[in-house]
Amino acid sequence: MIGFEEQKKILALIGSSCKRRVEAVIIGGSAMLFYNFTKTATKDIDIVVFSEADRRYLIDVLKGLGFSEKSRGKGNEPVRMEFKEFILDVFCQNV
């Protein structure tokens, strides 16, 4: 499980590793953590980007940080990326 502080750190690292603008939103349990709901941790981070080019770019950034691709989504299915205890599901557009 990934707590609020851990998520802030990994998201800041991802953001600082991007060399260009990527518009994205966080949904699911992570969003609940940031909006201060009663949830204290989540098993993964769900990231939604708005173009396939941004998804490919973000996946490359994640690979550069040591994440590995565990499953390749088709269409609107997420691409699952993992590194140690961190699991990121990267969606494109419609969720």
Side-chain angles (χ1 to χ4, degrees):
M1 298 294 278
I2 311 164
F4 178 72
E5 291 301 322
E6 293 167 300
Q7 287 198 34
K8 280 182 24 182
K9 288 177 185 173
I10 193 68
L11 292 172
L13 177 62
I14 293 167
S16 67
S17 298
C18 289
K19 301 302 179 207
R20 69 170 179 84
R21 181 179 170 85
V22 175
E23 190 171 342
V25 295
I26 303 298
I27 62 171
S30 294
M32 292 176 70
L33 286 172
F34 280 86
Y35 280 103
N36 204 19
F37 285 94
T38 57
K39 193 170 184 83
T40 59
T42 186
K43 64 182 172 97
D44 62 4
I45 300 173
D46 299 316
I47 301 174
V48 180
V49 295
F50 299 100
S51 73
E52 189 58 39
D54 278 352
R55 177 159 67 170
R56 286 191 304 269
Y57 177 75
L58 185 57
I59 288 167
D60 287 342
V61 168
L62 292 170
K63 286 179 179 177
L65 292 172
F67 282 81
S68 59
E69 192 173 314
K70 295 301 180 183
S71 66
R72 172 54 94 172
K74 293 182 182 175
N76 291 330
E77 295 176 8
V79 175
R80 175 155 285 189
M81 305 293 293
E82 296 182 8
F83 176 73
K84 297 183 182 177
E85 74 273 17
F86 295 104
I87 300 171
L88 279 76
D89 290 323
V90 183
F91 294 84
C92 184
Q93 293 183 341
N94 301 327
V95 178

